[in-house]
Amino acid sequence: MTTPTPTPATKPGHGVGHGFSRLREFTQAPDAGPALLGFLGAALITAGGLGAGSTKPHDPLLESMHLSWLRFGHGLVLSSTVLWLGVALMLIAWLRLGRRVIAGEATEYTLVATTGFWLAPLLLSVPVFSRDTYSYLAQGALLRDGLDPYVAAPVDNPNPLLDNVSPIWTITTAPYGPAFILVAKLITMLVGNHVIAGTMLLRLCMLPGLALLIWATPRIARHLGADAPTALWICALNPLVIIHLMGGVHNEMLMVGLMAAGIALTFGRHHVAGITLVAVAVAVKATAGIALPFLVWVWMHHLRDRRGYRPLPAFAAAAATSVLIFVAVFAVLSAVARVSLGWLTALAGSVKIINWLTVPTAVANLVHALGGWFFPVNFYAVLHVTRIAGIAIIAVALPLLWWRFRHNDREALTGIAWAMLVVVLFVPAALPWYYSWPLAVVGSLAQSRASVAAIAAFSTWIMVIFRPDGAHGMYSWLHVSLATACAVIAWYALYRAPQPPGETVENPSTP
């Protein structure tokens, strides 16, 4: 991969005008092809989502616009076709941009500007591929109305928001940290029980997460000597981020953005600020806590190399300070939100989800399907055993990874990526947007042609296997075959992409 020549700094007094001028020039250049194609795809997703997305069961807005017919019969077929056409165009645009990235023809500005084009239409979309945003609002309303969302479930607080929550989550307490529950509470205080306004405002609250991810990713890449455009293409423009996290409105967007920014600051020797941001990310969703022990190694190495600490005192200082920062951040946020640590007990709520996206559930499905030919198999009994085995694997793997990847900054980031992947693969249940966790940090590490092609294939498969209303097609051989075919095409498109002069497919440039 080649690293583009840095753009000269903007002259004082000409920042805004220069920015618009540069954007106008970009839209007229050949580099804008994927941006404009993705914009069209996002617009079609927004239009198709009115009927095929995760809409309200009773939507007076659609009725007032005489568009309720889009949700039923031929209207639903039309809406679904338009939405899937939009997904296809965005995937094609992403792969086309990926080929430019591999060829060394895309700059950081191209990637950032393209993100804006792809995102703009989705800011007006109904939630797609998930109904979680309705759960977020209902949980925020619990805190607003004086109930503890870690003790009470949305069903305990009847209001119009409850009508749109998936039945599986109406009786589940909130598994999110105090920072996110506080955000959801503030939104419901501003808009009341207005679902549409709450959804739009909640999506806007995810924008800082995307901005932080775009800010942090190039800095991490440059710190490790990696290619920044490639890292941005993997982390920020991935359809799992643009369509699922932003289009679907998931708090993972805040979590991974805060976590990535914290890692970048810690690598840049701003240790207190970095650990603080990661602690806030944990207060959004607990998964970000995986990164903290690895960042202790980073801080330890900096103390040793810059200040001459011996290894043991350096580790003790880094670990103790990190723990103090973490406890202080959680104490403040919990006090402001007026909640306790009860959310940790609700993390097991995901066991209600059953799909093939985790190894324990996939193994249980295979044992049930194949063993059933020869003897009776109790699927849920097998699933219980495989899930216990998955938790045991995580419990053993995480300390081993933490110890194995301790020697430098690159190893620390590698350890975070592997730990995130192990957790996603072996937790009792997973959803597509869970894979944004390792993707947020792997962009600066997996930059070989084979790695980029594999990420493209897997991201495409995950994108296609789920339906716009939040259901999945993993038990339909036709749907699985279609998703697999799309993944193979994505892999081939990237693996056989044009290469920079002097680079071969067998010997890609991997920083």
Side-chain angles (χ1 to χ4, degrees):
M1 310 281 177
T2 59
T3 303
T5 303
T7 304
T10 304
K11 294 180 180 180
H14 296 82
V16 176
H18 177 77
F20 281 116
S21 175
R22 190 178 183 189
L23 184 61
R24 185 170 59 252
E25 292 174 3
F26 169 76
T27 59
Q28 298 170 354
D31 288 350
L36 299 177
L37 182 62
F39 177 86
L40 176 60
L44 291 176
I45 291 173
T46 300
L50 291 173
S54 303
T55 56
K56 298 169 59 180
H58 305 287
D59 197 324
L61 180 61
L62 284 181
E63 293 172 4
S64 66
M65 298 169 63
H66 305 290
L67 293 176
S68 294
W69 61 274
L70 289 173
R71 300 166 53 195
F72 309 100
H74 296 302
L76 178 58
V77 173
L78 176 62
S79 298
S80 300
T81 302
V82 170
L83 191 148
W84 277 116
L85 178 59
V87 171
L89 291 180
M90 286 201 72
L91 285 171
I92 292 170
W94 185 57
L95 295 174
R96 283 181 58 187
L97 185 59
R99 289 169 65 87
R100 287 179 176 270
V101 166
I102 288 176
E105 298 172 352
T107 65
E108 286 183 40
Y109 180 81
T110 297
L111 275 294
V112 174
T114 299
T115 304
F117 275 92
W118 293 2
L119 179 63
L122 292 175
L123 294 178
L124 302 176
S125 170
V126 303
V128 289
F129 295 94
S130 171
R131 304 186 67 85
D132 280 7
T133 182
Y134 304 128
S135 301
Y136 299 157
L137 293 173
Q139 289 158 0
L142 283 169
L143 191 59
R144 177 199 65 190
D145 296 338
L147 299 172
D148 187 343
Y150 303 147
V151 176
V155 72
D156 299 317
N157 187 32
N159 58 57
L161 295 172
L162 186 62
D163 298 337
N164 304 285
V165 180
S166 295
I168 193 174
W169 301 124
T170 58
I171 56 174
T172 304
T173 55
Y176 311 117
F180 184 72
I181 291 296
L182 188 59
V183 170
K185 172 190 175 181
L186 294 176
I187 289 173
T188 56
M189 289 178 64
L190 288 173
V191 303
N193 296 325
H194 196 288
V195 178
I196 296 175
T199 299
M200 294 301 178
L201 191 54
L202 191 59
R203 181 181 277 124
L204 292 179
C205 290
M206 301 301 126
L207 280 177
L210 181 60
L212 286 172
L213 185 63
I214 292 173
W215 174 85
T217 298
R219 284 163 175 77
I220 296 172
R222 286 191 288 268
H223 180 77
L224 300 181
D227 183 57
T230 303
L232 278 171
W233 182 83
I234 292 172
C235 297
L237 282 95
N238 196 298
L240 293 181
V241 173
I242 300 297
I243 298 178
H244 271 294
L245 296 195
M246 290 304 302
V249 196
H250 289 287
N251 57 12
E252 267 84 359
M253 188 74 263
L254 274 179
M255 185 199 79
V256 298
L258 287 164
M259 181 183 68
I263 293 171
L265 287 171
T266 305
F267 282 174
R269 303 182 187 277
H270 302 288
H271 307 103
V272 173
I275 299 297
T276 299
L277 280 188
V278 176
V280 176
V282 179
V284 172
K285 197 161 187 175
T287 316
I290 295 171
L292 280 173
F294 292 94
L295 295 182
V296 171
W297 292 129
V298 175
W299 198 345
M300 184 198 82
H301 295 316
H302 293 174
L303 289 174
R304 184 193 62 192
D305 298 340
R306 287 293 184 94
R307 299 193 179 183
Y309 281 45
R310 296 179 66 84
L312 189 57
F315 176 81
T321 310
S322 297
V323 170
L324 286 175
I325 293 171
F326 181 79
V327 170
V329 168
F330 253 83
V332 170
L333 290 173
S334 298
V336 173
R338 297 182 181 179
V339 295
S340 64
L341 295 178
W343 62 288
L344 295 173
T345 62
L347 294 177
S350 62
V351 297
K352 300 173 183 178
I353 303 168
I354 298 178
N355 59 44
W356 289 72
L357 287 185
T358 65
V359 173
T361 311
V363 169
N365 275 293
L366 288 173
V367 170
H368 179 257
L370 299 178
W373 287 92
F374 307 101
F375 48 83
V377 177
N378 185 324
F379 170 75
Y380 290 100
V382 175
L383 181 63
H384 181 69
V385 173
T386 56
R387 283 179 165 176
I388 291 176
I391 295 297
I393 290 172
I394 292 173
V396 172
L398 293 190
L400 292 177
L401 289 170
W402 177 71
W403 184 252
R404 163 64 182 81
F405 295 102
R406 68 186 189 279
H407 299 102
N408 53 52
D409 293 1
R410 172 180 287 278
E411 284 202 2
L413 190 67
T414 304
I416 293 171
W418 276 113
M420 291 270 183
L421 184 60
V422 167
V423 169
V424 174
L425 288 176
F426 290 97
V427 289
L431 291 163
W433 43 94
Y434 287 20
Y435 284 89
S436 66
W437 306 345
L439 280 174
V441 295
V442 80
S444 300
L445 302 169
Q447 296 207 331
S448 69
R449 182 181 300 272
S451 298
V452 170
I455 289 172
F458 183 76
S459 300
T460 299
W461 191 88
I462 293 289
M463 192 68 246
V464 176
I465 200 65
F466 266 71
R467 296 169 182 162
D469 61 354
H472 65 81
M474 295 182 193
Y475 294 100
S476 166
W477 283 110
L478 178 61
H479 200 148
V480 171
S481 300
L482 177 62
T484 304
C486 292
V488 170
I489 293 171
W491 173 86
Y492 186 83
L494 272 295
Y495 194 74
R496 294 299 183 184
Q499 56 211 27
E503 181 180 309
T504 62
V505 174
E506 292 77 16
N507 184 31
S509 171
T510 306

